[in-house]
Amino acid sequence: MKLRIFALAFSVGFVFCFFAAAFFIFRFSGEIKQEPEEEIFSEEVFLEDKKAVFLLVHEGKNGFGPFTLINFDAENGRIPVFTFSEKAAIDYGGVFLSAGALFSSVSPEVFAGAVETNLGIELSGYFIWNRESAEKIVAKAGTFDYVLPKNISYSEGNSYVNLLSGVQNMNGKKICDIFASPKFSEGERCDVVSRITAAFLNRRLRRFLPESNIYSTIFNYTRTDVSAFDKEDFAKLISVLCGSGKSISGHITNDTEKDLSTGLLYFSDSTKERILRYFGG
């Protein structure tokens, strides 16, 4: 009898210890840190300049404009985009002229200098682009999706543009068709140019890394003061900005006040502050 009681007690104790040990192992096994995987360290990119502000000048059928500022700001990890109208007032030698008229009457370098003086910023270069430029560059970089908030339909010469609201797969032709819509106010046009430009950069920025060879297309189909040597430094900025892996480009609102007597659009004080914040320094 005593032997049976001892055997039963031993069995119960053995089972209890077994489950206790199993519970202990299961409970704490999750807290055991596995050996970390080997980290891959990318080569640190040395940046002599941590940002580059470019002026994009649109050349259309009826003249120049709108004008767009893009800041590849690697220091803050962002790419702000700001667009101003060809009717924007630019002080040139004490006389206010429209941006479009001034650009048409002076060299691009002189115009860029006037923009710098008026806005309190420093430009790294300019690019003058047109419909052919847009078609070639977007074809090389790749199309991208953009949500068109409303239908755009109008006739231009012998062609008819009809783009429905919703997701549009954007190519160079669609971009130019939207920018040229006569149904936009100047403020609306500037806003949509900035938004589409920002969408393009967010989705296709990696295509501007050196290995894509897109720079030859840019230099062949735009007029610019950016040299091949400068291109290497700007490519480094883009390499750093691509490292975030998220959308980093966005449009900066442009509020203007219209002079009814001249039709010129003057930047509001709040707009000037935004320009200095995102493109100055």
Side-chain angles (χ1 to χ4, degrees), residues 3-245:
L3 184 59
R4 270 202 251 169
I5 294 175
F6 173 78
L8 180 62
F10 178 83
S11 300
V12 171
F14 178 82
V15 171
F16 175 80
C17 290
F18 173 82
F19 280 106
F23 174 79
F24 180 86
I25 293 172
F26 177 80
R27 171 67 178 81
F28 293 100
S29 61
E31 297 179 11
I32 298 175
K33 295 183 179 179
Q34 297 181 355
E35 288 295 321
E37 295 182 2
E38 183 180 356
E39 293 185 45
I40 301 175
F41 295 95
S42 60
E43 183 180 351
E44 185 177 354
V45 178
F46 173 75
L47 297 175
E48 184 174 349
D49 295 312
K50 295 185 178 180
K51 72 171 187 175
V53 180
F54 294 105
L55 173 66
L56 273 57
V57 181
H58 175 238
E59 182 180 8
K61 291 182 178 180
N62 301 318
F64 296 93
F67 304 85
T68 300
L69 296 174
I70 300 177
N71 184 7
F72 292 93
D73 184 359
E75 183 174 15
N76 295 298
R78 62 192 182 190
I79 309 177
V81 180
F82 174 82
T83 301
F84 58 94
S85 167
E86 59 267 26
K87 296 181 180 179
I90 302 294
D91 184 353
Y92 182 64
V95 178
F96 281 97
L97 301 172
S98 71
L102 179 59
F103 188 89
S104 298
S105 61
V106 298
S107 68
E109 289 77 13
V110 171
F111 179 82
V115 170
E116 289 179 321
T117 302
N118 276 256
L119 302 183
I121 63 176
E122 182 178 349
L123 295 174
S124 301
Y126 65 81
F127 292 90
I128 304 172
W129 66 279
N130 54 26
R131 180 177 286 269
E132 183 183 23
S133 307
E135 292 179 356
K136 296 293 185 180
I137 292 171
V138 176
K140 183 71 174 179
T143 59
F144 61 99
D145 288 342
Y146 175 76
V147 179
L148 198 62
K150 61 181 181 180
N151 296 345
I152 294 180
S153 59
Y154 64 92
S155 297
E156 186 178 40
N158 296 324
S159 63
Y160 181 71
V161 175
N162 184 31
L163 298 173
L164 300 179
S165 62
V167 178
Q168 287 282 346
N169 186 246
M170 301 295 288
N171 56 27
K173 181 182 182 303
K174 286 183 181 179
I175 289 173
C176 292
D177 287 343
I178 293 172
F179 288 3
S181 173
K183 297 184 179 180
F184 285 133
S185 68
E186 290 304 314
E188 289 173 332
R189 191 183 317 282
C190 291
D191 184 72
V192 75
V193 169
S194 291
R195 288 182 182 276
I196 290 178
T197 304
F200 172 66
L201 292 171
N202 278 326
R203 291 161 177 78
R204 291 293 175 259
L205 185 62
R206 288 189 176 275
R207 301 293 175 87
F208 287 81
L209 292 172
E211 54 267 26
S212 70
N213 198 30
I214 197 173
Y215 291 99
S216 60
T217 303
I218 295 173
F219 282 97
N220 287 335
Y221 291 97
T222 65
R223 285 183 285 155
T224 181
D225 62 341
V226 178
S227 69
F229 175 78
D230 294 331
K231 177 197 70 175
E232 296 181 6
D233 291 332
F234 301 145
K236 292 178 183 178
L237 286 175
I238 292 173
S239 177
V240 172
L241 287 165
C242 284
S244 69

